[in-house]
Amino acid sequence: MAGDGQTAVLDTAWAQIPHSPQATAGIGSFTRSRVERIISLAAGLGSVIVGLQAFVTALGSTDERPGWHEALMIAVFGSLAVMILACLIGRGVRLAAGGFALIYVLALIAWPIATAGVPPPSLEEPWIWLPLNLATLAAVLAFPFPLQIVWTAVTPVLFGIVRLVQVGFVQEYWLVVGLDVSFTLILGGVILTLGWLFRSMAVNVDETRARAVASYAKAAAADAAEQERVSVAALMHDSVLAALIAAERASTPRERTLAATMAREALTRLANTEQDAHEGTDEPWDAATLAVEIADAASELGVDVDVQRDLDPQSAPIPGRVARALTLAATQAVANALQHAGGAGLGVAVTAVGGRVRVEVHDAGEGFDLDAVPDDRLGIRASIVARVAAVGGKADLETGPHGTVVRLDWQERLT
């Protein structure tokens, strides 16, 4: 059925989602952390290419005064190397990138002093210009978004000012410097925009994912509470009613002792509900064992039932929780037949073929109107229908003037 398939898909998906507070602590930054890693890797690889180009150009530079060239190269390329390493290994990226962005700006401020009195060799850009957009990239990696905007806008303008100071504001440099500043502003804006776009998308994905997990967790909690309510209600109904029936029908000392034992067992099961929510292990049963357990349960209610068997020797084993649910539901159907039909025409049949199991309980009573049963009566709704449905089975009831038939079906699902 389509509904069963959808439920199975949801159960599979839910099983893969961590539910503990420790496991879900990072659930709101799942995509963001990966996007940050991708950005840092791309930044590191791009910085290697641009950094090598700038380093080779800087080796032959004659713009600076003696002593300044080596100091500026060590400061700029040393901090750049640290940033590249941090990006590639994914550790300390923000600290290393922020350090490079700040050191580069300080190097720009020091540039007019380093080049004072040295005539520029040509109109070409000095090597200090080449890593300029790497400083913008570093700001995107390290700083909050408002500061990224400031760094992207101010750093190129600062370069333009110090370059003009270096050349003494000679008019022929104005166009070249203006183009350089414009180019770096545009490229910096692209870098800034891409970083903002990818991070915004990641945040939206994480928020949507967190809401979906929270919604599903709420639904799962509600479902668990409902299953617990049905389980406890069914347990109370089964145990108490069975003890009362046994007490009512007891006419010998042995039967009275049995009724007292059943009452004590009912109280014990109620006391241990939380510790034994699943009522035993899930070790498989065969269909013959199921038939025997139903017969024994009926015997405890004070009636001997000859359970009819139609069992395929090749039929698949039944999971323990399913077998127990079928046994308890059949027992409840027998108890209903004893209470409301006096046990007239009571019979039980168990059929197992392939991966399908059917348990049928019938009586020859007067029947009843199922729709007229009050909502607070749990013998059918909780102890039979809901109990079987909880293990993936189905319960059908047919009732009329000639009696009642309860059919419990369970089909093994192929994976």
Side-chain angles (χ1 to χ4, degrees):
M1 295 177 62
D4 293 338
Q6 184 180 19
T7 301
V9 171
L10 288 174
D11 289 343
T12 301
W14 179 244
Q16 297 174 355
I17 298 176
H19 305 300
S20 67
Q22 294 81 5
T24 57
I27 207 166
S29 59
F30 180 85
T31 307
R32 174 66 182 270
S33 63
R34 281 151 182 78
V35 167
E36 290 291 344
R37 182 68 184 127
I38 293 171
I39 292 175
S40 64
L41 279 174
L45 295 175
S47 297
V48 169
I49 298 173
V50 178
L52 285 176
Q53 179 185 0
F55 183 76
V56 171
T57 303
L59 287 176
S61 173
T62 58
D63 285 331
E64 304 98 309
R65 292 187 298 166
W68 280 94
H69 178 65
E70 293 78 7
L72 289 177
M73 283 193 63
I74 291 173
V76 172
F77 292 108
S79 60
L80 177 60
V82 173
M83 184 186 84
I84 292 174
L85 180 62
C87 289
L88 295 181
I89 67 175
R91 294 180 177 274
V93 175
R94 296 187 65 179
L95 181 61
F100 170 71
L102 182 60
I103 289 174
Y104 180 81
V105 168
L106 294 176
L108 276 183
I109 295 173
W111 186 254
I113 302 174
T115 59
V118 181
S122 66
L123 291 174
E124 294 182 359
E125 300 86 358
W127 69 265
I128 196 70
W129 176 77
L130 295 176
L132 198 153
N133 278 124
L134 295 184
T136 300
L137 178 59
V140 171
L141 292 173
F143 301 147
F145 187 67
L147 191 54
Q148 295 175 26
I149 297 175
V150 173
W151 222 266
T152 301
V154 170
T155 307
V157 174
L158 178 61
F159 167 78
I161 293 174
V162 300
R163 177 62 171 161
L164 291 177
V165 171
Q166 177 192 2
V167 300
F169 292 93
V170 176
Q171 188 172 1
E172 61 182 318
Y173 282 92
W174 281 79
L175 178 59
V176 176
V177 173
L179 291 175
D180 291 340
V181 172
S182 300
F183 174 79
T184 51
L185 281 172
I186 293 172
L187 183 56
V190 172
I191 294 173
L192 176 68
T193 301
L194 289 176
W196 171 82
L197 179 63
F198 289 140
R199 284 167 170 164
S200 298
M201 292 174 62
V203 168
N204 288 336
V205 170
D206 284 332
E207 290 178 350
T208 302
R209 181 175 183 269
R211 286 196 297 269
V213 171
S215 176
Y216 198 85
K218 183 177 180 181
D223 179 68
E226 176 62 17
Q227 289 189 19
E228 182 179 2
R229 185 193 68 80
V230 170
S231 176
V232 173
L235 175 60
M236 291 181 64
H237 185 276
D238 295 352
S239 302
V240 174
L241 181 61
L244 290 175
I245 290 177
E248 180 185 14
R249 298 170 64 91
S251 58
T252 66
R254 179 181 177 278
E255 292 175 346
R256 295 188 186 95
T257 301
L258 177 62
T261 301
M262 292 177 64
R264 284 195 296 270
E265 181 182 356
L267 293 175
T268 301
R269 292 181 67 191
L270 289 173
N272 295 332
T273 298
E274 292 185 358
Q275 289 76 18
D276 195 24
H278 300 288
E279 297 176 326
T281 67
D282 203 29
E283 183 177 351
W285 295 17
D286 56 31
T289 301
L290 174 64
V292 171
E293 291 292 328
I294 294 175
D296 290 344
S299 178
E300 290 182 0
L301 295 177
V303 59
D304 292 328
V305 178
D306 183 15
V307 179
Q308 303 298 312
R309 296 168 172 84
D310 183 8
L311 310 179
D312 181 359
Q314 304 300 322
S315 61
I318 310 167
R321 61 188 178 85
V322 175
R324 283 190 298 277
L326 293 176
T327 301
L328 291 170
T331 303
Q332 180 58 47
V334 170
N336 287 348
L338 292 175
Q339 183 180 16
H340 301 292
L346 178 62
V348 180
V350 176
T351 305
V353 179
R356 183 176 181 181
V357 179
R358 166 173 285 186
V359 178
E360 182 175 301
V361 180
H362 59 83
D363 65 59
E366 298 179 355
F368 62 95
D369 184 0
L370 184 60
D371 294 332
V373 176
D375 291 340
D376 59 350
R377 300 297 297 274
L378 303 176
I380 295 176
R381 291 187 176 89
S383 297
I384 297 179
V385 177
R387 171 172 277 147
V388 175
V391 295
K394 183 180 180 182
D396 289 322
L397 283 84
E398 293 182 5
T399 182
H402 301 292
T404 300
V405 180
V406 178
R407 296 186 182 91
L408 313 175
D409 288 289
W410 180 80
Q411 176 74 46
E412 181 184 24
R413 289 190 176 87
L414 298 179
T415 57

